[in-house]
Structures are given as C-alpha cells and as structure tokens.
C-alpha cells in the first residue's frame, strides 16, 4: 500500500489504472470505513482511500481542531483491508489558497435536517468531494448510509454535473447493542456510550408507531424528541421523511417502503446522527 500526500504524486500513480474505486474519509477509521473499503475492492482495479479533515464542512464552534488525526493507525487498518493507495493531502496540498470556488447544493435538499443545524455543511462536503473526485477520477465512489442525507446530496451532485462516477452506498455498521459506528463515538464517556444506543432505539420506536398505523407524524416526532430529552439528550431532530427527497410524507407515502426516520441529537458534547429506513 502506498501513502501519497500530493495531487501530483497521486496523478502519477493513478496513471497506471483505469478504474479506481474510491472511499473518501476524514480518517479516525472504524469498522464501518473498513467495510466500505472491502466493498470497494472488487469494484475497481485499484482501491483508493482519502484521509482529509475538511475544514470547509465544520462550523466555527465545531470540532475541526480536535477531530482525531490518526494517520498511522488508519494506514495499518487500511493495509490490512487490502487498500492500495492512501491519499492523505495536507491542508496546503488540497487548499493551497482559500477555496473561493464552491459547490452550492440546492437548498431544498441541503438546507434541511443536517444542513439546517449545520449551515454550509453540504457546501463544504460537496466542494471537497468534487475536488477529491477531480484528483482521483474514480469510476466508483462509496459512502456510508449512516450519513443518509450526505450520500443523497452527493448522488445528486454527480447526476446533475454529469460526473462519470457510480455512487455506491454501504450499509451502516452497528455495535452489538445497535449503536451506529461513527468516528465521533470515541468522544463518548463510558456512561454516555451505554446511553448512546437510545438514539437507534428511539428511531426504532418511531418505526413501530408507523407500522402500528399511526399517521400523525408530528405526534411521532414530538414523542421521540421528548423521549430523548427526558433522558438528558439535546435532540436537533427526530423525523419521518420520504426516502427520495427527504420531505415530510404525504398520505400516499405510508406503507410502501418509501420512508426513512432520521435523527440527530447531542449527548453531552457529542452530536450523534443515525437513520433507519422504514
Ligand atoms: O463523511 C465524511 O467522512 C466526509 O463528509 C467526507 C465525505 C469524507 C467529506 O469530507
């Protein structure tokens, strides 16, 4: 496995291949990332993982400065998973000057849910992902389903900008108790870690309500928000949405595999997100 830091070196190395399969990450890798890398391997003739903590997608009060940078450990895991190339540019390599040109995704998809609570987040994500796509020129790129809205925003960017890249979504990996694997789980204290599973349990409770015929979505959402708030969480949203556009469901959307429940909530100082398709 080769570790590469500059765009020039990456281009020289990738010249030998026709069909890169690409997994973009911010490092601090867990089993969910590794599963994506293993899924990527048979999809291309070279497997490329990028590791770059992207300043553009963090709000000023968020954890850009403290986000764990664990390159050595990440590389060991990637090598064991069969990754061929790790592209780990420094800030100066990817943003040698302030990034004035940005990709602004459409508001109806990118300014709701995560984008509402993290304004500018998807502009930061799309900008870096497009730039990474231009560096790697992959045939296929893989994103985790835990970031449900992110993979939708990227899928639509690729379609609207006619990028010749297939987007594959990898299933969310969960710990034994059901907590979705996330780099940010490492911030949780032992007590918070034990509590953290309540996010997926609450989402499951929302699904059960829908399956039992409840059609008052606002009531389901309020009950879920209160359930977590009563346990000491600070929920941003727990919501029932349509899978295809993340808008609130209409009467005809119930009972035909068209919905997803999504949640984001802070436990202590750690913000967790999760989702489950109904
Ligand atoms: O999901 C992530 O880790 C990041 O948002 C991504 C896609 C690597 C862009 O920085």
């Amino acid at each position: 496995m080769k570790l590469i830091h500059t765009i020039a070196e990456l281009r020289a190395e990738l010249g030998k291949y026709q069909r890169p399969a690409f997994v973009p990450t911010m490092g601090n890798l867990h089993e969910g990332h590794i599963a994506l890398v293993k899924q990527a391997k048979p999809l291309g003739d070279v497997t490329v993982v990028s590791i770059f903590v992207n300043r553009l997608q963090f709000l000023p009060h968020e954890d850009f400065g403290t986000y764990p940078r664990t390159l050595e450990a990440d590389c060991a895991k990637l090598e064991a998973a069969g990754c061929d190339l790790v592209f780990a540019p420094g800030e100066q390599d990817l943003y040698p000057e302030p990034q004035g040109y940005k990709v602004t995704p459409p508001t109806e998809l990118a300014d709701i849910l995560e984008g509402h609570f993290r304004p500018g987040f998807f502009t930061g994500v799309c900008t870096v992902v497009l730039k990474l796509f231009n560096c790697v020129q992959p045939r296929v790129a893989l994103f985790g389903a835990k970031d449900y809205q992110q993979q939708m925003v990227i899928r639509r960017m690729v379609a609207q900008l006619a990028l010749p890249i297939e987007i594959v979504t990898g299933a969310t990996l969960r710990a034994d108790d059901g907590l979705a694997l996330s780099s940010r789980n490492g911030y949780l204290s032992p007590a918070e870690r034990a509590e953290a599973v309540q996010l997926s349990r609450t989402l499951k409770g929302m699904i059960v309500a829908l399956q039992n015929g409840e059609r008052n979505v606002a009531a389901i959402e309020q009950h879920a928000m209160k359930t977590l708030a009563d346990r000491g969480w600070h929920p941003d949203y727990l919501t029932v949405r349509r899978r295809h556009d993340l808008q609130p469901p209409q009467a005809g959307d119930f009972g035909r595999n068209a919905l997803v429940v999504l949640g984001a909530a802070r436990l202590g100082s750690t913000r967790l997100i999760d989702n489950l398709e109904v």
Side-chain angles (χ1 to χ4, degrees), residues 203-215 220 223:
L203 292 173
K204 278 187 197 138
M206 296 170 77
I207 292 181
V208 170
L210 288 164
Q211 285 168 342
N212 288 343
E214 177 62 83
R215 294 295 175 255
I220 295 175
H223 178 73

Side-chain angles (χ1 to χ4, degrees), residues 161-268:
L161 298 181
L163 304 179
I165 302 170
E166 181 192 345
I167 301 299
V168 172
T169 304
T172 302
L173 251 67
R174 296 182 179 278
D176 288 345
D177 65 352
L179 174 67
L181 297 191
S182 161
S183 297
R184 290 192 168 99
N185 292 351
Y187 295 154
L188 299 168
S189 69
E192 288 169 344
R193 172 62 192 82
E195 172 65 19
V197 64
Q198 294 302 330
L199 178 56
S200 63
R201 288 207 183 137
T202 305
L203 292 173
K204 278 187 197 138
M206 296 170 77
I207 292 181
V208 170
L210 288 164
Q211 285 168 342
N212 288 343
E214 177 62 83
R215 294 295 175 255
N216 184 344
V217 166
I220 295 175
E221 293 176 350
Q222 277 158 23
H223 178 73
M225 297 279 283
K226 185 170 174 342
T227 303
L228 283 188
D230 286 350
R231 301 181 66 93
W233 292 66
H234 298 277
D236 282 345
Y237 59 85
L238 285 128
T239 188
V240 182
R241 296 293 167 116
R242 299 199 294 219
R243 291 185 199 176
H244 74 278
D245 61 1
L246 296 184
Q247 292 300 312
Q250 303 299 309
D253 294 322
F254 293 95
R256 52 176 197 89
N257 298 335
L259 302 180
V260 56
V261 290
L262 306 107
R266 251 184 318 110
L267 183 57

Side-chain angles (χ1 to χ4, degrees), residues 23 31-41 142-144 169-171:
V23 182
E31 280 306 312
H33 296 111
I34 299 306
L36 281 181
V37 174
K38 290 184 177 159
Q39 195 175 347
K41 265 200 87 63
L142 293 89
F143 294 85
T169 304

Side-chain angles (χ1 to χ4, degrees), residues 24-26 33 52 54 57 67 121 125 128-129 132 143 147 150 154:
T25 80
M26 297 206 300
H33 296 111
F52 181 68
N54 173 37
Q57 70 191 72
Y67 199 87
F121 171 69
V125 168
V128 80
V129 168
L132 290 166
F143 294 85
D147 298 296
Q150 170 173 278
I154 290 168

